[in-house]
Amino acid sequence: MPAPGPLMTVTLSADEARRIILRAQGFLGADARRGGVPAVLRRLGAVQLDTISVLARSHELVAYSRLGAVGRAKVERAYWDDPARAFEYWCHAACVLPIGDWPLYAFRRRYYAARKYRWHEVPPTVDKVLHQVRENGPVTTADLGGAKNGGPWWDWSDAKIAIEWLLDTGQVVCARRVGWRRVYDLTERAVPAHLLAEDLSDAECVTRLTRTAGRALGVATRADLVDFLRLKAPEAAFLDGALATGAAGLVPVRVSGWPDRAADAWADPAALESEPRGRHRTTLLSPFDSLVWDRPRTSRVFGFDHRLEAYVPKDKRVHGYFTMPVLAGGRLIGRVDPAREGTTLVARQVGLEPRAGRGAVEALAGALAEAAAWVGCDAVRVERADPAVTIALSAALDEAL
């Protein structure tokens, strides 16, 4: 694969693009497993958080899917340690982000500060809450008087609204969790001084984040990059400028085999310097994993239609509550809706793609067996699948467990 010159368009096949993406995301080759969980976070640039926990929480699953049976306590320490290696903020969604990227989100902090509104009106007690953090921090919402008023989940207390607005505007930071509770502290106590001293314009922030997103995604369309960072129109204009001038450090590529409207894309030039080689990871993926979090991109790259159905009414679900795509041989070969009953991992629903190919059942069995061992289960039970798949999968599981 030829290395590109300045803004020279390189043509890639769909398979070449897919392998570059897999390597960039840490699923192809031995290099992806070097450096452990901290390196995974640096490679991905953002690890999405979510409250749902089935086998484990999504941020734990992201590390597991790339590294295998890494200890869950080790995952937590890599994200939330002292001194802080990461912080929580808004990227694609609520994400764990490398602490070194703190200056790059100044554009978003300024946006929230100017907006003076969150999902709720910011209460007049916000200065009092900031004083409490200054005097007593680090603190949780329990220390501040509680997170809710007692009604639905969105019925936040004034203290919760205030502390989250202070987080949005960068006056406090969450660099650690206790259980699933955020621990807040003054930013100057958690973020290194040299990072606080960086003063970047909005354009500089978006330019550098575009480079981060491009490297993490490997090959990406403009829409992919905008979705990774969830940019609004004025911010996306900075992204367009950074791409056009080369300031983002990405080069244009054309992917033959992608739909015409998405064939023009961008790539990290370092990713084009060598052919992706090595072993493919076989694993279950969190539905919030950055390999699959963008549905149009997942369909384009893998020919796989993925949808999270946790928030879909039960009687309207097709594949299940927390359906996890199955990655094997660099393809998405199927999906599993998992659960746990004691020391049994329950595959409540299993489906294989029509084009899964030979060896798919064995690969699925291996992925289920490895996941079961990681969460402390010693058995796997398949509840619902095509009858032929159930028989073959049960036999393969007997060998894998």
Side-chain angles (χ1 to χ4, degrees):
M1 189 182 304
L7 296 184
M8 180 184 76
T9 299
V10 173
T11 298
L12 302 172
S13 69
D15 277 347
E16 285 174 326
R18 178 179 52 81
R19 289 197 298 273
I20 290 170
I21 289 165
L22 287 165
R23 182 174 63 182
Q25 282 281 299
F27 291 107
L28 174 59
D31 285 349
R33 291 183 287 279
R34 295 195 178 107
V37 186
V40 168
L41 179 57
R42 290 193 298 271
R43 174 187 291 272
L44 298 182
V47 172
Q48 187 172 340
L49 292 159
D50 196 81
T51 58
I52 297 173
S53 181
V54 178
L55 297 182
R57 293 200 188 272
S58 184
H59 64 279
E60 297 171 317
L61 290 166
V62 166
Y64 159 75
S65 66
R66 288 154 177 83
L67 303 175
V70 59
R72 293 169 70 176
K74 186 178 290 186
V75 175
E76 298 297 312
R77 285 196 303 272
Y79 292 149
W80 298 295
D81 207 346
D82 188 11
R85 298 187 192 184
F87 68 105
E88 292 185 26
Y89 202 62
W90 301 102
C91 180
H92 175 80
C95 290
V96 183
L97 305 166
I99 194 69
D101 286 353
W102 171 265
L104 308 187
Y105 289 87
F107 79 101
R108 191 155 280 159
R109 294 191 289 269
R110 285 191 286 263
Y111 165 79
Y112 282 120
R115 187 169 180 246
K116 297 182 179 177
Y117 181 81
R118 208 174 187 276
W119 296 316
H120 314 74
E121 293 285 349
V122 178
T125 54
V126 66
D127 289 339
K128 177 183 176 183
V129 170
L130 181 59
H131 178 75
Q132 285 181 268
V133 179
R134 182 175 289 112
E135 294 298 311
N136 304 317
V139 298
T140 67
T141 49
D143 300 320
L144 297 171
K148 293 194 290 186
N149 288 321
W153 69 266
W154 61 85
D155 186 23
W156 285 2
S157 68
D158 281 357
K160 173 66 171 174
I161 297 169
I163 197 67
E164 289 296 325
W165 188 79
L166 290 168
L167 183 144
D168 287 347
T169 56
Q171 298 174 74
V172 304
V173 66
C174 173
R176 185 163 59 90
R177 282 186 179 247
V178 174
W180 189 241
R181 289 182 300 163
R182 279 177 168 168
V183 179
Y184 306 88
D185 203 357
L186 291 181
T187 300
E188 57 263 35
R189 290 202 288 243
V191 178
H194 72 280
L195 297 175
L196 293 175
E198 286 197 51
D199 185 18
L200 303 179
S201 68
D202 288 3
E204 289 171 324
C205 291
V206 174
T207 295
R208 287 173 58 176
L209 283 172
T210 301
R211 183 181 305 131
T212 296
R215 288 175 178 170
L217 295 176
V219 178
T221 65
R222 175 193 182 274
D224 296 340
L225 296 168
V226 169
D227 181 77
F228 186 104
L229 300 168
R230 293 286 167 88
L231 299 178
K232 301 180 184 301
E235 301 154 354
F238 294 132
L239 177 143
D240 291 334
L243 292 174
T245 63
L250 306 178
V251 296
V253 297
R254 185 166 181 83
V255 184
S256 59
W258 283 9
D260 284 345
R261 69 182 186 280
D264 293 321
W266 299 85
D268 173 11
L272 303 178
E273 291 175 355
S274 61
E275 190 76 25
R277 298 181 184 278
R279 242 178 110 185
H280 284 284
R281 182 91 172 100
T282 298
T283 189
L284 304 180
L285 297 172
S286 164
F288 302 108
D289 195 292
S290 52
L291 186 68
V292 296
W293 68 19
D294 182 346
R295 288 172 58 188
R297 175 177 167 86
T298 303
S299 178
R300 182 192 333 126
V301 174
F302 295 102
F304 186 89
D305 293 323
H306 164 63
R307 180 188 184 195
L308 176 68
E309 297 181 329
Y311 307 111
V312 174
K314 187 174 182 179
D315 61 343
K316 296 185 184 301
R317 292 174 191 154
V318 176
H319 299 292
Y321 173 76
F322 194 75
T323 305
M324 301 180 71
V326 182
L327 179 69
R331 310 276 182 180
L332 296 178
I333 63 166
R335 61 196 92 210
V336 174
D337 181 32
R340 289 179 62 182
E341 292 181 5
T343 59
T344 298
L345 188 158
V346 181
R348 293 189 292 196
Q349 186 168 333
V350 174
L352 288 175
E353 292 292 282
R355 295 176 293 175
R358 296 178 60 185
V361 169
E362 290 74 14
L364 174 56
L368 286 169
E370 184 186 59
W374 180 59
V375 297
C377 292
D378 54 17
V380 177
R381 186 175 79 246
V382 179
E383 285 191 343
R384 183 180 172 193
D386 180 272
V389 171
T390 300
I391 293 169
L393 183 57
S394 297
L397 283 166
D398 286 342
E399 293 187 15
L401 290 168

